[in-house]
Structures are given as C-alpha cells and as structure tokens.
Amino acid sequence: MLKNKKTKIITIVIIAITIICILVIPKTFAMQHYQIVDTPTGIVTASTLNVRSGPSTNYKIITQVYKNEYIRIFAKVGTWYVVQTDKDYIGAVSSQYVRLVYPQSNSNNNSNTTSKNNLTADEQEVFNLINQKRISAGLPALSINQELQNVARIKAQDMVNNGYFSHTSPTYGSPFEMIKNFGITYKAAGENIAGNSSNSGAVEAWMNSEGHRANILSNSFNYTGVAVVSSPTYGKVYVQMFIGK
C-alpha cells in the first residue's frame, strides 16, 4: 500500500515537472523572410509612431518618431519596416504609417553620372530636395517629365552660353513660349532659376524667395524638369520648370 502511494506521488511530481517545463520553455517561431526596399528613405505620416524591438506589436517600444520625421529604411518584414531613426535607434515600425520617398540615386557625386530617371547626380539631388520640401508641407511629390527635363537643360545651357540670367531667353522667349514651342501641353506652368555653388544652397535660396517657394509648393504642378549646368560665373546654373496636367 505504501509502495503504491509512493508510486502515485512520483507520478504526480513527474507530471507537475512536465507542465512547468512546458510553461517555462519559450515558444519558437520560424524566422520571417525580409524584402529589400527600393528606397532608403521614408517619412512618418502618423502623429506619433512607435519604434519596436521587432516586427510586431508583441515587441516592446524602444523609442518613438513623429510626423514628417525622416527615417532610414533597411528592409521590410511582413508589414513592418526595419529602420534607423535620426537618433540612431534601430527597430521596426508599421509600414502603414510610413511613406517611401526619394528613389535611390546611383550617383557617385559625379555630375555626369545619370540616375534611373536619366538625371545627373546634381539634378537628382535637387529633385530630391524639392520633393522633401513638398512632402514636408503635405503635398504630393513631383514626377520627372522627360520632355520638360530636356527643355530645362536647353534653357540652362542657353543661359550659360549667352551669359544672361533671366526667365526670358533671347533665343527661346519666355518659359511659357519655350515649353509650348517644344510641343509640351499644360494647364499651368512655372519656372525657377538660380545661380549658386551648391545644390542645397540653390534650393534654400528658392525657399527663401516668396515667388520661387510658391512654385515649389504649388498644388497646380505635378511634373517637373530639373537642370544643373556648370557656370564660370556662379559655379552652377539651375533651371527648374514646372507644369500641371
């Protein structure tokens, strides 16, 4: 009788230990596949976005990012982006609240190197900076119109070749006449020009000018052409043409 009791006690203990082990041993999950993202930059669209230690709300919050803040994106895991914040936190955010921006240029700081938009490195940088300003203001990004891109380059080179700085070309007339004469139709059009030694300097000069800033932040425009040409006078001459269709 005593032996049977001991046997039952041992059996109960073994069952209890087994249950404890099941509860203590953590669950394991198959490693999720990641996807390469074709742009390294995103902008936060939510007022406040949690950055978590893994790609799920089950992971703890390590920091937060805020609306219109830029984040570096490494990959996508399910519906989450693996990101780096401007304070160097690495974590995951829901892709639902991030807008991808700025196609990654294949430039190497050589202004003769072209990107997949057929832009030089300088042109790509100006294009990206302009779209940063628009997105920060809650506006949609502009797209490159290749025909307008060609016209902007011709205008910029004409300014350098003929030594003038004006919206009106002695060769092609006003920007509106020039765009029409090259067979481009539009509902609205505009032009920004600048002489500057740096791409960021040219864009900031435009943003500090009421008329130029109005073109950059106009809802009437959805296409652009951006030209950057070396100039002995300014370092570089910039022409950005805008159209709305």
Side-chain angles (χ1 to χ4, degrees), residues 5-238:
K5 285 185 178 180
K6 287 184 178 179
T7 302
K8 287 181 181 179
I9 291 170
I10 292 170
T11 302
I12 291 169
V13 170
I14 292 172
I15 292 171
I17 292 171
T18 303
I19 292 171
I20 291 169
C21 288
I22 291 171
L23 294 174
V24 171
I25 295 172
K27 293 180 180 178
T28 60
F29 299 91
M31 182 180 290
Q32 297 185 56
H33 293 288
Y34 71 89
Q35 301 171 350
I36 298 298
V37 180
D38 60 0
T39 175
T41 309
I43 186 169
V44 178
T45 59
S47 298
T48 302
L49 181 59
N50 293 328
V51 181
R52 297 182 178 271
S53 59
S56 163
T57 54
N58 294 327
Y59 291 91
K60 69 177 182 180
I61 298 170
I62 56 175
T63 189
Q64 292 179 319
V65 288
Y66 303 96
K67 190 170 185 177
N68 293 331
E69 186 172 333
Y70 291 93
I71 52 178
R72 180 178 297 172
I73 299 175
F74 297 109
K76 188 175 185 182
V77 179
T79 59
W80 292 72
Y81 289 131
V82 180
V83 304
Q84 178 184 18
T85 72
D86 62 356
K87 294 182 180 178
D88 283 337
Y89 285 97
I90 304 294
V93 298
S94 172
S95 61
Q96 181 179 354
Y97 303 107
V98 176
R99 181 188 305 153
L100 299 179
V101 290
Y102 320 138
Q104 188 173 20
S105 171
N106 62 359
S107 67
N108 58 1
N109 295 324
N110 180 346
S111 61
N112 293 320
T113 301
T114 57
S115 73
K116 62 183 179 182
N117 281 330
N118 197 31
L119 303 182
T120 67
D122 283 337
E123 291 166 349
Q124 183 74 54
E125 183 178 3
V126 173
F127 176 62
N128 289 349
L129 289 170
I130 293 296
N131 274 338
Q132 279 187 36
K133 303 298 183 184
R134 287 181 63 87
I135 292 168
S136 293
L139 297 167
L142 297 170
S143 299
I144 291 293
N145 178 289
Q146 290 298 339
E147 294 175 335
L148 192 63
Q149 177 66 29
N150 182 53
V151 175
R153 285 173 174 167
I154 293 172
K155 172 66 180 287
Q157 194 61 58
D158 184 58
M159 288 172 65
V160 172
N161 291 347
N162 291 294
Y164 71 94
F165 186 84
S166 171
H167 288 291
T168 302
S169 164
T171 310
Y172 301 102
S174 73
F176 312 103
E177 293 170 329
M178 187 175 182
I179 292 170
K180 284 182 178 178
N181 289 338
F182 276 83
I184 300 172
T185 58
Y186 59 85
K187 293 180 180 178
E191 179 186 71
N192 284 352
I193 60 174
N196 207 290
S197 59
S198 75
N199 302 329
S200 60
V203 173
E204 287 307 312
W206 282 338
M207 290 301 294
N208 290 330
S209 164
E210 184 177 352
H212 295 90
R213 183 173 64 251
N215 278 340
I216 291 171
L217 301 181
S218 174
N219 261 326
S220 299
F221 301 137
N222 49 8
Y223 293 99
T224 190
V226 181
V228 184
V229 175
S230 295
S231 164
T233 305
Y234 304 102
K236 298 173 185 177
V237 161
Y238 299 81

